[in-house]
Amino acid sequence: METTIKKVAVIGAGVMGAGIAAHVANAGVPVVLLDIVPAGATNRNVIAETAVEKMLKADPAPFMSKRCARLITTGNIEDNLDLLADCDWIVEAVIERLDIKQDLYKKVDAVRKAGSVVSSNTSTIPLDQLTGGLSDAFKADFCITHFFNPPRYMRLLEVVQGPQTRADAISAVSAFADVRLGKSVVMCKDRPGFIGNRLGILWILAATVEAIDNGLTVEEADAIIGRPFGIPKTGVFGLMDLVGLDLMPHVLASMVGSLPAGDTFHILNRDLDLIKKMIADGYTGRKGKGGFYRINKANGGKVKEAVDLKTGEYRVSVKPQLASISAANEAGKKAAAALLAHADRGGVYARRVMARTLAYAASLVPDVTDSVADIDEAMRLGYNWKFGPFELIDSIGAEALIAILTAEGMEVPPFLSAATGKTFYKVEDGKRYELRRDGSYAELKRPDGVLMLEDIKRTAKPLLKNGSAALWDIGDGVVCLEFTSKMNALDPDILKLIGQAVKLVPQKGYKALVVYNEGSNFSVGANLGLAIFAANIAAWPIIEEMVEGGQKAYMALKRAPFPVVGAPSGMALGGGCEILLHCDAVQAHAETYMGLVEVGVGLIPGWGGCKEMLHRLSKAKMLPRGPMPAVAKAFETISTATVAKSAMDAQEKSFLRETDGITMNRYRLLADAKAKALALVEGYTPAEPVEFRLPGPSGKVALEMALGQFRRMGKATPHDEVVSLHLATILSGGATDHTEVLKEEDILALERKAFMALVRHPGTLARVEHMLLTGKPLRN
């Protein structure tokens, strides 16, 4: 029986269930959200309805667009179970009690259609217990689908198949989760905590216990356990504050109660009086009065404080000063090994926590999974680790890890011993392999429809390359322009390579170009460090040359005799947004955050961003015609540094066109962008030159009036006014009126003039320096 998922139901409108429903709606799929009827309720659907209302106001937002909420039908399980009759996938996300779940399953089984998949979001109750006493037909359609919170943003989905679960049910859910929900699906065996939480919670427990036992501060522990190992800077104590301290006792109790005797959990687990007291006093993390960290707002201040792990009292947070942390910072890519080898208490702590965690990861093969790649994927996507545990072991060396474990008196798992003299991953002939428990290697293959630049780069040489960019042949006559600078900041090398690429594509018979990279962010904008350096030595011609160079490069892409498709993910800010505005089309990852944010550093978009937004908004269906509506909207968008919070939001804000595509799964972005580029090849003609009719000085006066209102409301600082007045000149067209026609080059000239005036301004220089030093905007 083949299942096609066109409609979904979620039962349980708590944080997880509601979040799952919201993300299904993000995929454009209708979803039913049900919960119980509270005692004495006059509105019997109040729980589900309230959940949707809360999500519409939440930040970070569960919905990619508020419009997605329209796809959710709310109800309750007493009156509305009939709504399940046409659902293809029914997700149970109710309280973690076996009796409640089984009672619900019997009710669901009575109304669901044949072949519909039923799954539980549990991570604590074994699958065979969930389906105990239920029909064989139900068992054939049942599985566990464990989402991570928040469901929109966490890309991992763990799937557990029962012995009677039909293969078609698993393939249908997996394909839907992959393509429509953007999840990386990892198959797990039916073991407590599956992969992500089994290892992640052990890591948290070890980090907490060892910090207390070894006399570390929370700041020291987070600095050691964080960045040197490719773990987010929140470390472990910051992570617990984020997820909520009150969850930990329940999760630990579940794990300890279900794991076999001798498991490392039992060795580490103990009552932690400090955490009990913090929870009792309401210090449950960010959702409470604070956690291991808090912001003390007493006396009008904002002082960051941290808990003293010995006394339980708050004190002013202090930057850690351990020699081991300094050694790790100096070691670069060898930071983890340097930290593990250090003699001070930071090194001791790293060994006690990370060596134990990495060893525990190795002990999960083959009990929890046969694949080291699946464990690494679970920790990368479920806990935001940059490197999976086996990638970390390869960087440290299995022999070095075994030596640490032996010295610390810890058990060495058989699979780790078997890796002696080997690596868990190897590359041969451009193909990547993982080590299996029998000592052999198995090839790691991408799913159909996935194309990764990292795979191409293992066997190919770039067509063009410099210190900040490269051009790659990705097959079928399409080339890929990749940024390689730090944070993919745009600089003269990238602009130079764009010019070279525009010439090479037709010369070598290529058909199209895709702008794409696999960094955390597409591009954070122009390299401000270069700009401030040039400004400090008054090298104004160099700055103007870079501004004009960016304009020429982007216009060359726009007028190229072949299709250009942008493929962003993560942040596409400032110049990163501007290059996308000049592409023929964009295929954006769903989690793309676009915006022209230059005003935050006292500048204006200088690479055609003002011009392109004027053009986009002049065609926007939401705005009336005439000279002012597009000008006013562009002024509002750019002067407030508006950033779209998803690709859908970017379409609503006109950073993307309605015809631009959205890819839910990050791994599928390049293949989708390539397909879009090839679809544009036949009959392609470059974009026609754009002409503008702008209001001139009268329009600028109207913008100045709006700016004055912002000033009186306290929403515009003095330098905001300076920047916005320059922006108003550009958007209104300078010394023109609606009877005159301006070309694109005329608007670009206005951008250059305003940019060069602002970059000399002390207020702008102060903003740029502050941003480079702190990463935060200066409100001067």
Side-chain angles (χ1 to χ4, degrees), residues 376-412:
D376 280 353
E377 184 80 339
M379 294 309 293
R380 283 194 303 265
L381 300 188
Y383 280 79
N384 285 325
W385 289 18
K386 184 177 182 181
F387 311 107
F390 292 97
E391 291 172 320
L392 281 170
I393 296 173
D394 277 353
S395 71
I396 297 163
E399 295 83 357
L401 179 58
I402 290 170
I404 291 170
L405 294 170
T406 302
E408 295 289 336
M410 299 178 189
E411 186 177 348
V412 178

Side-chain angles (χ1 to χ4, degrees), residues 342-571:
H342 207 280
D344 75 0
R345 58 195 173 93
V348 172
Y349 179 67
R351 291 189 289 276
R352 298 295 299 172
V353 177
M354 290 308 296
R356 173 176 269 135
T357 300
L358 297 178
Y360 194 68
S363 75
L364 300 181
V365 180
D367 182 54
V368 173
T369 178
D370 295 318
S371 170
V372 301
D374 282 351
I375 294 177
D376 280 353
E377 184 80 339
M379 294 309 293
R380 283 194 303 265
L381 300 188
Y383 280 79
N384 285 325
W385 289 18
K386 184 177 182 181
F387 311 107
F390 292 97
E391 291 172 320
L392 281 170
I393 296 173
D394 277 353
S395 71
I396 297 163
E399 295 83 357
L401 179 58
I402 290 170
I404 291 170
L405 294 170
T406 302
E408 295 289 336
M410 299 178 189
E411 186 177 348
V412 178
F415 186 44
L416 182 59
S417 296
T420 303
K422 299 180 180 180
T423 55
F424 286 103
Y425 296 99
K426 71 174 183 178
V427 176
E428 286 184 358
D429 300 323
K431 296 177 181 179
R432 197 164 179 241
Y433 296 83
E434 66 172 343
L435 184 67
R436 293 291 184 164
R437 60 191 176 108
D438 63 1
S440 66
Y441 282 91
E443 184 181 350
L444 290 167
K445 295 182 179 180
R446 304 285 186 190
D448 290 341
V450 172
L451 175 65
M452 300 296 290
L453 193 57
E454 68 171 89
D455 295 339
I456 292 169
K457 291 163 67 173
R458 277 198 292 270
T459 57
K461 292 183 179 179
L463 302 171
L464 296 170
K465 182 178 174 62
N466 61 32
S468 297
L471 191 71
W472 301 91
D473 183 338
I474 58 173
D476 301 312
V478 181
V479 297
C480 175
L481 172 65
E482 177 197 26
F483 308 148
T484 60
S485 56
K486 185 177 181 181
M487 296 187 73
N488 292 325
L490 300 158
D491 61 20
D493 274 354
I494 291 176
L495 302 179
K496 179 181 178 182
L497 197 131
I498 289 173
Q500 293 173 331
V502 169
K503 294 177 181 176
L504 181 142
V505 170
Q507 286 175 354
K508 299 293 184 180
Y510 289 104
K511 301 174 183 176
L513 181 147
V514 171
V515 186
Y516 163 92
N517 62 73
E518 287 167 5
S520 299
N521 295 300
F522 176 75
S523 175
V524 296
N527 188 326
L528 292 177
L530 289 177
I532 199 69
F533 174 77
N536 284 335
I537 60 172
W540 309 118
I542 292 177
I543 296 176
E544 187 160 12
E545 184 180 327
M546 185 173 172
V547 176
E548 189 171 4
Q551 292 181 344
K552 288 180 177 178
Y554 286 8
M555 286 299 290
L557 284 177
K558 184 174 182 178
R559 293 176 176 172
F562 51 84
V564 177
V565 174
S569 62
M571 290 189 287

Side-chain angles (χ1 to χ4, degrees), residues 261-332:
D263 192 277
T264 306
F265 266 94
H266 299 297
I267 298 171
L268 289 169
N269 189 50
R270 70 178 76 158
D271 284 335
L272 296 172
D273 294 334
L274 171 62
I275 293 181
K276 282 184 177 179
K277 184 177 186 304
M278 290 175 70
I279 294 171
D281 292 343
Y283 290 99
T284 54
R286 296 188 188 182
K287 65 183 178 182
K289 297 187 292 185
F292 290 102
Y293 299 97
R294 74 174 183 184
I295 301 297
N296 190 337
K297 298 180 181 179
N299 301 319
K302 288 186 178 181
V303 179
K304 185 177 181 180
E305 295 181 336
V307 162
D308 186 306
L309 294 177
K310 292 180 181 177
T311 67
E313 301 296 323
Y314 281 98
R315 52 164 177 75
V316 175
S317 183
V318 178
K319 185 177 180 180
Q321 300 293 333
L322 292 173
S324 53
I325 297 174
S326 299
N329 291 337
E330 294 170 2

Side-chain angles (χ1 to χ4, degrees), residues 236-249:
V236 71
F237 290 106
L239 176 63
M240 282 195 279
D241 279 357
L242 186 63
V243 301
L245 274 66
D246 52 331
L247 291 178
M248 292 309 298

Side-chain angles (χ1 to χ4, degrees), residues 15-27 55 58-66 68 147-156 177 180-184 381 570 589-594 643-650 662 664-666:
V15 173
M16 277 301 298
I20 294 167
H23 196 51
V24 172
N26 290 336
M55 290 193 296
D59 187 19
F63 291 113
M64 292 180 175
S65 165
K66 290 185 189 288
C68 295
F147 289 81
F148 279 66
N149 194 34
R152 170 184 163 182
Y153 300 96
M154 301 303 289
R155 292 168 54 196
L156 178 66
R180 301 301 298 275
L181 300 184
K183 301 301 177 187
S184 183
L381 300 188
H589 180 231
E591 298 298 344
T592 296
Y593 314 109
M594 289 179 70
V643 175
K645 295 184 177 180
S646 70
M648 287 185 197
D649 192 27
I662 297 176
M664 293 294 280
N665 193 320
R666 176 69 179 78

Side-chain angles (χ1 to χ4, degrees), residues 23-311:
H23 196 51
V24 172
N26 290 336
V29 176
V31 57
V32 173
L33 179 62
L34 306 180
D35 209 303
I36 62 170
V37 179
T42 54
N43 176 2
R44 294 173 66 81
N45 299 339
V46 64
I47 295 179
E49 289 179 7
T50 302
V52 174
E53 290 169 6
K54 286 182 178 178
M55 290 193 296
L56 284 168
K57 300 173 184 175
D59 187 19
F63 291 113
M64 292 180 175
S65 165
K66 290 185 189 288
R67 293 182 301 176
C68 295
R70 301 172 192 169
L71 288 168
I72 298 181
T73 300
T74 55
N76 68 78
I77 58 177
E78 291 184 22
D79 305 325
N80 305 119
L81 279 180
D82 60 310
L83 294 175
L84 306 183
D86 61 347
C87 293
D88 307 297
W89 180 18
I90 301 164
V91 181
E92 169 269 301
V94 303
I95 190 170
E96 292 290 84
R97 271 182 50 185
L98 181 60
D99 58 332
I100 291 176
K101 290 179 186 288
Q102 286 205 317
D103 181 61
L104 176 62
Y105 296 157
K106 290 170 186 174
K107 294 176 181 177
V108 168
D109 201 21
V111 298
R112 73 187 183 97
K113 67 179 180 181
S116 59
V117 180
V118 182
S119 70
S120 175
N121 189 59
T122 187
S123 64
T124 61
I125 303 175
L127 188 146
D128 61 344
Q129 291 183 27
L130 291 171
T131 57
L134 292 163
S135 68
D136 287 344
F138 185 86
K139 292 177 181 178
D141 292 333
F142 187 84
C143 61
I144 291 174
T145 52
H146 180 228
F147 289 81
F148 279 66
N149 194 34
R152 170 184 163 182
Y153 300 96
M154 301 303 289
R155 292 168 54 196
L156 178 66
L157 179 70
E158 295 178 320
V159 175
V160 180
Q161 179 176 359
Q164 291 176 256
T165 310
R166 58 187 174 88
D168 283 347
I170 296 298
S171 61
V173 166
S174 297
F176 181 85
D178 172 353
V179 178
R180 301 301 298 275
L181 300 184
K183 301 301 177 187
S184 183
V185 177
V186 172
M187 297 300 300
C188 309
K189 297 180 183 178
D190 192 15
R191 300 291 187 272
F194 310 132
I195 297 174
N197 284 344
R198 177 75 173 271
L199 182 56
I201 294 168
L202 182 281
W203 166 70
I204 291 172
L205 177 60
T208 305
V209 169
E210 295 292 351
I212 294 171
D213 288 353
N214 289 281
L216 273 82
T217 67
V218 293
E219 298 97 329
E220 289 170 343
D222 284 345
I224 291 163
I225 223 70
R227 284 179 170 170
F229 291 97
I231 292 170
K233 64 180 181 180
T234 51
V236 71
F237 290 106
L239 176 63
M240 282 195 279
D241 279 357
L242 186 63
V243 301
L245 274 66
D246 52 331
L247 291 178
M248 292 309 298
H250 301 290
V251 174
L252 286 172
S254 171
M255 296 296 290
V256 171
S258 56
L259 289 169
D263 192 277
T264 306
F265 266 94
H266 299 297
I267 298 171
L268 289 169
N269 189 50
R270 70 178 76 158
D271 284 335
L272 296 172
D273 294 334
L274 171 62
I275 293 181
K276 282 184 177 179
K277 184 177 186 304
M278 290 175 70
I279 294 171
D281 292 343
Y283 290 99
T284 54
R286 296 188 188 182
K287 65 183 178 182
K289 297 187 292 185
F292 290 102
Y293 299 97
R294 74 174 183 184
I295 301 297
N296 190 337
K297 298 180 181 179
N299 301 319
K302 288 186 178 181
V303 179
K304 185 177 181 180
E305 295 181 336
V307 162
D308 186 306
L309 294 177
K310 292 180 181 177
T311 67

